[in-house]
Amino acid sequence: MGFWLAEKRIGQQSSFIQRFDPRFWTINFPRPMMASVVTTAANALRVDAVFYNSDDLAGLIWESEDRLDHPLLAYETERDYAQLQWEFHWRSSGIMPLDAINGPTLTIEGRDAAGNPKSWYVRLWNYASGTPTDARISIEFSKIDGGFLLPGEADPVFPEDIDRLFISIIPPDYDGQGTRYATPKIGWVEMSAIRTDGRGAVLEIGDIMVPENGLSMATAYDDSFNQTPERLLRMTRALGYRGAINHYLGMSHYFRLETLGDGLYVSLSAPQAGEEFAAINQPAAVWHRDLVARAETMGFSVILSLSYELFDAHCWNDWKQRAENGDPALTGWQPPSTLLSPANGNAMNYLQAVARAFTAIARDAGAGIRFQVGEPWWWIMPDKRICLYDAAASAVFGANAVSIASIDGPKTAAQNAMLDQAGAILAQSTADLLDAVKAEAGATPVESLLLAYLPTILDEEAPEARRANLPIGWASPAFDILQLEDYDWVIAGDRSATRRGIALAADQLGYPVERQQYFTGFVLQAADRFIWSNMVQAVEDARARGTPGIFVWALPQVARDGFTYFQEKDDDVNAFDDVRFPIAIGQGASVSPGFSTNIVTTISGHEKRNSDWADARLEFDVGPGVRSEEELRILIAFFRARRGAAKAFRFRDPYDHSSRDMVGEPAPTDQHLGKGDGQQTAFKLVKNYGGPVEEAQQRRITRPDPDTLEIAIDGQLESNWSLGPAGMIAFDTPPAEDSDITAGFLFDVPVRFASDQLHVNHATFLAGDIPEVLLLEVREPS
């Protein structure tokens, strides 16, 4: 395994695009309106929009700096638009026309000639030929003026320092007053025949293709609604992901809305002209049709993921799960989402209608139907109140309803009975949802998947929560695939919890590993980039379990942090043979530790030194230790078995192979591995050189001698641990907060032969000519 958090291209493959390539435009807008952008040709795009208020405004945006693509795939930053000509064909319907007072305006954001921030407002109609809804627009950035009436109100644009272009899209009777429409307004814009010429007409863009890495990608509409599906699929394929794309339909952007009083609520009213579905808005329908069709063409299959989560502000009040005192179930997102009650028939009918709409889109595109019920559960508040008490649920529980003040701890027989009944209600609701999908799919086969979030469901402090949230009604064959995620444990590095949780869930529901899939981790904030290494380790653990489908969650975070994963392959040989060099070299070998340091001498004679390596790389010459013909024959045989330099192996450094000093007898308190925090279970073996732990040069130990390894916590010998790959110690339970974890061991160095040739002359060897046999230390993933 290997990964890289790339920050920019460093010599990787690139190509060129025309500036204003349709794939890289975005759309944005304030709630509650909705809009989407898709590409319709290599030089064309389409925007669909739905307006609820008379002051709704969407912006079609081109950024001079690519802030959304993976760094290895981003287009170059170019803010100079001088001498650039831009032409396109504009068609629109249901939006303000080009010739109106508030008609589509090109806002240019940048700086003036003096470097002061400035925006120019360019009326597109001033540069159009044709009608207000069907026109050819031609812009020369060195000659363009802001202002409504030209030349009287001309505000010349300074074209050499532009950050962003923003084309406004508003309803035809826009008045800025925010008046609610009796029925939503539907509109669209098409830009085609997009063409640029002159200086800066083309931009360099990353054109890498990471080899297939054996992983699949997860996406979410709420995270990517503003981008074109073609852009997202380009990234996914280029970064090596194949097979399925698990696409979360989201909770805040797909729905249609209707007015009740001052509020807007999710709607199942009959579609009006320009709409296809009762449950989902037209921009979302257009966007998802484009996603599914393009994914099919590229060899991807889209898993449609629908959860019980819904944007709180637009959810009918009686649909919400509620705590015993009536508090609605609210997530920690801002603004919050809520959870639909599995006992509420109207809420579940709505969810089924949403599922049917997206199923119809996939079916009509000729795609296979893969439908995931994503994290269905009875919500548990941060203070551990479980939300089983909405009116519909209370009616179903009837006389069996009892108070559960906290989900933590043991429960009475009556409380457990209520939790079991809650689980049955939840399982029935997911079964009904799948029935709706299958009914809509018709003759098209349906693969059903269940996604369960284990850290909440299997909370050790709440052992009875699984009665409600991992019900036996989900047991195989209720679903075709059981999908499991555990990112709280991944973030904490608690591999033991993952191992136990997955085993428990699989055992309770009866899904063998070949019918499981795994979602690894989640890096919410860019500041938490350290989590990627935990996620990669979780991927390797899932591979070791034999899990056939492994997903990275999710594409926006992959792009933001430059996460680049590659599966290291060794063709027809293994990279490492876990055998030790067979000759007892002893003091006959020589060793050369080496660092890589760049030294720059300034004009004043001072030096600046930069150490490129955190640890030394060792080189051994074992030739002087070969003392007999028998050992020479052993060396040649061992060399051939390793295929020269192809395979690495263990070598016991005669000068440094112990945690105690260099060659001493090890003790479990020799080396400090870290501090416990009550969550982390995985610790790397290390050896520290040169002083106290805080100042030491630290060396990773990836090949300890298992028979000599001892682990201690606060000086007390421990046994509740296991040795994993690359010298990783995994505790069965997390060490207590602020505890000292230490280890003692003997160890080997992973090495390979430095050359594919071994030069030995038998006659000169007998005459005392010692062959040079070089071994190089191998850097192993850690």
Side-chain angles (χ1 to χ4, degrees):
M1 65 178 181
F3 78 98
W4 175 31
L5 299 182
E7 297 182 357
K8 61 181 179 179
R9 288 193 298 280
I10 310 174
Q12 285 80 21
Q13 182 70 32
S14 63
S15 59
F16 296 91
I17 60 169
Q18 78 160 335
R19 191 167 352 201
F20 307 135
D21 185 309
R23 293 173 293 178
F24 303 103
W25 287 82
T26 61
I27 191 79
N28 218 333
F29 44 86
R31 296 183 185 280
M33 75 160 293
M34 256 300 298
S36 67
V37 57
V38 301
T39 52
T40 55
N43 62 352
L45 60 82
R46 176 184 170 102
V47 173
D48 285 89
V50 55
F51 307 100
Y52 295 101
N53 299 314
S54 63
D55 61 349
D56 284 345
L57 179 150
L60 182 62
I61 298 167
W62 177 270
E63 297 274 3
S64 297
E65 180 182 357
D66 187 346
R67 304 173 189 273
L68 295 175
D69 280 294
H70 189 283
L72 299 182
L73 293 164
Y75 57 79
E76 69 171 303
T77 298
E78 179 54 81
R79 293 185 169 86
D80 187 354
Y81 289 63
Q83 310 304 319
L84 178 69
Q85 293 88 47
W86 177 31
E87 295 182 352
F88 56 91
H89 184 192
W90 173 279
R91 294 179 63 241
S92 64
S93 175
I95 72 160
M96 188 75 78
L98 288 166
D99 64 341
I101 291 178
N102 291 313
T105 298
L106 172 64
T107 300
I108 300 177
E109 299 173 354
R111 279 153 294 279
D112 62 19
N116 301 309
K118 182 174 173 60
S119 295
W120 294 267
Y121 304 97
V122 179
R123 188 187 187 202
L124 288 181
W125 183 242
N126 289 337
Y127 298 90
S129 59
T131 73
T133 59
D134 190 339
R136 187 72 189 173
I137 295 175
S138 180
I139 291 174
E140 294 184 56
F141 281 90
S142 292
K143 300 178 181 179
I144 193 172
D145 291 315
F148 185 77
L149 296 176
L150 301 182
E153 298 176 355
D155 181 13
V157 171
F158 180 69
E160 298 178 24
D161 196 2
I162 293 173
D163 292 326
R164 187 171 84 145
L165 307 182
F166 179 107
I167 299 176
S168 61
I169 299 171
I170 59 177
D173 52 357
Y174 177 92
D175 62 9
Q177 300 301 309
T179 305
R180 177 69 46 76
Y181 295 129
T183 58
K185 307 287 187 181
I186 307 298
W188 56 265
V189 172
E190 290 179 347
M191 289 173 57
S192 60
I194 299 171
R195 179 176 179 271
T196 55
D197 198 5
R199 193 177 76 191
V202 297
L203 300 175
E204 183 183 5
I205 190 169
D207 195 21
I208 65 158
M209 186 63 71
V210 175
E212 294 184 26
N213 57 30
L215 303 182
S216 295
M217 178 54 68
T219 64
Y221 186 49
D222 290 345
D223 292 334
S224 305
F225 66 90
N226 60 326
Q227 301 179 60
T228 66
E230 189 173 3
R231 183 181 198 167
L232 303 177
L233 292 169
R234 170 184 178 263
M235 269 196 289
T236 301
R237 182 172 180 81
L239 293 172
Y241 300 92
R242 297 293 187 273
I245 294 175
N246 197 94
H247 177 68
Y248 178 40
L249 299 168
M251 55 85 181
S252 61
H253 286 84
Y254 67 73
F255 38 63
R256 289 177 70 242
L257 296 173
E258 63 182 53
T259 297
L260 179 66
D262 293 333
L264 281 168
Y265 297 89
V266 296
S267 177
L268 283 177
S269 62
Q272 59 176 312
E275 293 183 309
E276 299 172 69
F277 299 102
I280 65 176
N281 63 64
Q282 190 60 19
V286 172
W287 193 95
H288 282 90
R289 183 175 293 106
D290 189 65
L291 173 74
V292 172
R294 290 184 185 278
E296 283 291 306
T297 300
M298 296 173 66
F300 290 110
S301 63
V302 177
I303 298 172
L304 299 170
S305 168
L306 183 62
S307 76
Y308 285 43
E309 191 174 355
L310 194 64
F311 189 67
D312 179 66
H314 299 318
C315 183
W316 298 95
N317 285 325
D318 60 336
W319 290 10
K320 301 176 185 180
Q321 295 180 28
R322 292 185 180 273
E324 192 170 1
N325 70 343
D327 288 345
L330 297 178
T331 66
W333 302 112
Q334 289 299 325
S337 53
T338 189
L339 277 296
L340 299 177
S341 170
N344 188 293
N346 291 332
M348 293 300 97
N349 288 339
Y350 172 76
L351 208 60
Q352 292 166 28
V354 172
R356 293 184 75 127
F358 285 111
T359 298
I361 288 172
R363 178 201 63 210
D364 295 346
I369 309 300
R370 307 182 72 184
F371 184 83
Q372 177 210 89
V373 185
E375 296 181 354
W377 51 22
W378 294 97
W379 186 250
I380 297 173
M381 300 280 204
D383 60 6
K384 297 303 186 75
R385 290 177 293 153
I386 187 167
C387 295
L388 300 176
Y389 299 94
D390 61 275
S394 295
V396 175
F397 289 126
N400 294 329
V402 295
S403 175
I404 302 178
S406 170
I407 194 62
D408 282 357
K411 296 289 173 275
T412 66
Q415 289 172 327
N416 282 337
M418 184 179 179
L419 292 171
D420 287 336
Q421 187 176 357
I425 295 169
L426 181 61
Q428 185 60 55
S429 73
T430 59
D432 294 342
L433 185 57
L434 290 180
D435 286 344
V437 169
K438 293 173 182 177
E440 187 66 40
T444 304
V446 173
E447 180 184 62
S448 60
L449 306 97
L450 171 71
L451 177 62
Y453 181 63
L454 297 181
T456 295
I457 294 173
L458 302 180
D459 184 352
E460 291 183 350
E461 295 181 355
E464 305 303 340
R466 70 194 66 169
R467 292 176 180 270
N469 286 335
L470 198 68
I472 58 174
W474 286 347
S476 178
F479 294 86
D480 297 312
I481 300 292
L482 175 63
Q483 297 177 310
L484 302 171
E485 62 177 333
D486 62 340
Y487 58 79
D488 275 5
W489 294 336
V490 172
I491 290 170
D494 194 346
R495 297 166 67 194
S496 297
T498 293
R499 184 172 62 250
R500 294 192 307 271
I502 288 178
L504 191 155
D507 181 65
Q508 178 165 325
L509 299 182
Y511 291 87
V513 69
E514 59 268 19
R515 290 176 56 204
Q516 295 177 27
Q517 293 178 351
Y518 175 70
F519 286 69
T520 177
F522 185 67
V523 185
L524 181 61
Q525 304 292 340
D528 297 330
R529 289 159 62 96
F530 74 92
I531 296 171
W532 289 110
S533 61
N534 292 1
M535 290 173 61
V536 169
Q537 183 61 63
V539 166
E540 296 312 304
D541 290 344
R543 290 190 194 279
R545 291 192 299 269
T547 308
I550 303 172
F551 292 81
V552 172
W553 183 263
L555 183 59
Q557 288 73 35
V558 166
R560 180 197 67 203
D561 295 342
F563 178 71
T564 311
Y565 178 89
F566 43 92
Q567 187 175 2
E568 297 171 331
K569 298 181 179 180
D570 303 304
D571 300 324
D572 61 339
V573 298
N574 293 318
F576 191 90
D577 284 344
D578 199 16
V579 297
R580 187 173 290 129
F581 188 74
I583 303 171
I585 298 300
Q587 302 302 313
S590 64
V591 59
S592 303
F595 283 91
S596 173
T597 304
N598 290 320
I599 301 175
V600 177
T601 303
T602 67
I603 194 169
S604 64
H606 294 89
E607 288 185 347
K608 294 183 178 180
R609 295 179 293 277
N610 181 59
S611 180
D612 295 333
W613 297 351
D615 194 7
R617 188 182 189 191
L618 301 176
E619 179 179 305
F620 301 92
D621 182 2
V622 298
V626 180
R627 295 175 292 271
S628 67
E629 289 187 73
E630 176 62 23
E631 290 183 343
L632 182 60
R633 285 192 289 270
I634 293 172
L635 171 64
I636 294 171
F638 187 79
F639 179 84
R640 290 178 64 88
R642 308 287 82 71
R643 303 189 187 187
K647 294 187 178 184
F649 51 92
R650 288 177 178 260
F651 179 74
R652 182 63 56 89
D653 181 348
Y655 305 106
D656 183 8
H657 57 256
S658 175
S659 60
R660 170 68 59 89
D661 298 326
M662 303 297 274
V663 295
E665 185 68 23
T669 56
D670 286 344
Q671 297 295 328
H672 185 266
L673 307 187
K675 287 273 192 182
D677 61 6
Q679 292 184 313
Q680 184 177 349
T681 58
F683 294 84
K684 298 175 181 179
L685 281 183
V686 296
K687 182 175 181 181
N688 300 288
Y689 295 82
V693 172
E694 301 82 40
E695 302 174 3
Q697 187 269 316
Q698 193 172 83
R699 176 184 185 181
R700 279 285 287 116
I701 303 299
T702 60
R703 295 289 167 177
D705 184 339
D707 294 335
T708 67
L709 180 58
E710 292 184 321
I711 304 295
I713 298 180
D714 288 334
Q716 299 300 309
L717 200 62
E718 289 289 328
S719 59
N720 66 332
W721 57 270
S722 59
L723 175 63
M728 185 69 73
I729 303 301
F731 288 93
D732 296 335
T733 57
E737 187 171 356
D738 207 36
S739 58
D740 285 309
I741 295 91
T742 57
F745 47 83
L746 300 179
F747 63 93
D748 297 311
V749 183
V751 298
R752 63 169 174 83
F753 286 102
S755 172
D756 279 326
Q757 290 184 314
L758 189 63
H759 298 285
V760 178
N761 184 300
H762 185 260
T764 57
F765 175 74
L766 294 178
D769 186 9
I770 299 172
E772 182 181 65
V773 183
L774 297 180
L775 308 179
L776 291 179
E777 183 178 7
V778 173
R779 291 275 194 249
E780 294 194 287
S782 58

